[in-house]
Amino acid sequence: MAEWLITIKQKRQFMHMNLDPELKVILDEAKAMNPNGVHNTDLPLEGIRAYLTTLGKTQGLQDLHCEYIEDLIIPAGASGVPARKYQARKMQEPSPGLIYIHGGGWTIGDLDSHDTFCKLLAIDSSVTIISLDYRLAPEHKFPAAVDDCLAASQHIVTNALNFGLIESKIAIGGDSAGGNLAAVVTNLLALNKQKTPCFQLLIYPATRVLETASTDSRRELANVAILDRRTIEYFNEMYTGGLPVDPRDHRISPIYSENFENVPPAHVITAEFDPLRDEGEEYAGLLRNKGIEATYTCYKGLMHNFIMQTGRIKKARSAVKDMAEILRKRVIES
């Protein structure tokens, strides 16, 4: 199945990009599926949600086997937070772990949409993954997602043994909106002088959420396929529309966090043709300026959402191997 529907305007832009050849095939397929120029945000929300889940299952690597997968309810927040635990092989002793927060503009995505990616990361890294299923907008607007992820993460890091984890070796990560939430949660835990994860894996995180033209990459890639400005604005409206929110609220945009004391090291990942590229690089630089160890990688030729394309794009598969190696070194070997 092809990636998101491609409009005529997006078609013109990606023709002039030095895209990874395998990604270009996917975009050509999407272009052929959309001869009338229908935009994704014109589709019903439930259709968009279902499509992302199908995408994760069909474009990711197939036939992955994790020996142990368990659905959980994290006893945190008002009614608990659903989660899914992945282990490449069943661990008899406490192990290093990663709290994972899926992307989807705070509006789409769930445990199933990112199931293939979480399996792959667990297999490649030998780290236990606990994926969170936070409440989505617009049914649950800001700060519901923050509240769920904060409560669940706090519960996991303070009750590590109950989840089969080593307390000092729990990282946090996420992609896109999930990368945003992972950074926000980490900063809030540190600000409140609570126990933080030991490491952050931030995959094309949104760090300047309500500033749709704040960076060169947001301006230059405003009409790019997969995540154009209209899609970003749609997700922002779902998440915060109608609320008296401050764009500089650090619970929305972690770039505006006031205190980075006790924030753990991070690895930030972006893609060359992703509108969120520059703010991801900027966030890694901000952490370094605050005295926090932070590394950064931008994958050439790729676009937003590439972690869900590991079955179609070799470079995406290689990128996930890189992430797993960094995670393993940070939480297993350190």
Side-chain angles (χ1 to χ4, degrees):
M1 180 176 291
E3 188 59 74
W4 299 97
L5 299 177
I6 306 299
T7 66
I8 294 172
K9 186 181 291 185
Q10 291 167 343
K11 171 189 170 183
R12 293 195 188 105
Q13 182 154 13
F14 80 68
M15 286 175 61
H16 301 289
M17 295 176 178
N18 187 22
L19 293 173
D20 178 90
E22 292 175 319
L23 173 58
K24 188 176 185 304
V25 169
I26 294 175
L27 295 178
D28 286 339
E29 291 173 359
K31 177 183 63 177
M33 289 176 61
N34 190 30
N36 298 320
V38 177
H39 195 272
N40 296 298
T41 58
D42 292 329
L43 302 174
L45 177 56
E46 288 308 313
I48 301 174
R49 287 174 173 168
Y51 189 59
L52 183 66
T53 299
T54 301
L55 196 69
K57 293 179 178 179
T58 58
Q59 291 203 357
L61 277 179
Q62 304 298 305
D63 301 320
L64 296 171
H65 177 67
C66 276
E67 186 175 302
Y68 183 79
I69 299 176
E70 179 187 8
D71 284 344
L72 310 168
I73 298 292
I74 309 298
S79 57
V81 177
R84 186 171 293 164
K85 180 178 177 179
Y86 300 82
Q87 291 182 329
R89 59 182 180 83
K90 176 74 168 136
M91 303 289 188
Q92 301 303 321
E93 300 293 334
S95 66
L98 171 73
I99 299 167
Y100 193 79
I101 307 174
H102 69 77
W106 309 274
T107 304
I108 63 177
D110 55 22
L111 298 178
D112 291 335
S113 66
H114 285 64
D115 183 70
T116 298
F117 171 71
C118 288
K119 285 178 184 175
L120 183 57
L121 191 59
I123 292 166
D124 282 352
S125 68
S126 298
V127 168
T128 297
I129 311 294
I130 298 181
S131 178
L132 303 182
D133 195 17
Y134 54 91
R135 289 173 292 169
L136 297 176
E139 297 91 340
H140 305 281
K141 288 182 177 284
F142 170 82
V146 174
D147 292 344
D148 283 359
C149 294
L150 178 61
S153 299
Q154 183 180 21
H155 185 84
I156 292 169
V157 298
T158 55
N159 297 275
L161 290 178
N162 292 343
F163 296 94
L165 302 178
I166 299 171
E167 181 179 346
S168 62
K169 292 181 174 289
I170 302 174
I172 193 169
D175 63 290
S176 193
N180 164 274
L181 290 166
V184 167
V185 165
T186 301
N187 294 344
L188 287 172
L189 290 172
L191 180 64
N192 295 329
K193 301 189 184 305
Q194 296 172 316
K195 185 170 182 57
T196 65
C198 66
F199 179 68
Q200 304 174 76
L201 181 67
L202 306 179
I203 305 168
Y204 33 78
T207 64
R208 291 182 173 274
V209 170
L210 299 179
E211 302 172 38
T212 55
S214 58
T215 64
D216 287 344
S217 61
R218 283 201 182 225
R219 290 186 292 271
E220 294 165 3
L221 300 170
N223 295 311
V224 76
I226 301 175
L227 188 68
D228 63 358
R229 183 177 296 177
R230 182 173 169 185
T231 301
I232 291 172
E233 290 175 346
Y234 172 84
F235 286 143
N236 290 350
E237 176 66 19
M238 294 294 103
Y239 190 42
T240 66
L243 301 177
V245 298
D246 180 355
R248 297 174 69 92
D249 187 328
H250 62 274
R251 297 172 300 161
I252 295 175
S253 294
I255 200 81
Y256 294 118
S257 293
E258 297 177 358
N259 188 340
F260 286 88
E261 185 177 356
N262 298 321
V263 169
H267 181 61
V268 182
I269 294 152
T270 65
E272 182 179 9
F273 300 116
D274 186 342
L276 305 186
R277 181 195 66 213
D278 290 353
E279 63 205 78
E281 182 176 16
E282 177 190 28
Y283 193 69
L286 172 65
L287 293 177
R288 287 193 294 268
N289 289 338
K290 298 294 183 179
I292 299 161
E293 184 182 356
T295 52
Y296 171 75
T297 301
C298 177
Y299 287 93
K300 301 296 183 183
L302 297 183
M303 287 180 164
H304 196 80
N305 227 28
F306 69 76
I307 64 167
M308 303 183 79
Q309 299 171 315
T310 52
R312 298 285 307 272
I313 302 175
K314 294 183 181 67
K315 185 174 285 187
R317 175 70 186 97
S318 178
V320 175
K321 285 184 178 179
D322 292 345
M323 298 174 205
E325 179 64 20
I326 290 167
L327 184 60
R328 183 166 54 247
K329 286 181 177 179
R330 284 293 184 172
V331 302
I332 294 181
E333 299 175 9
S334 63

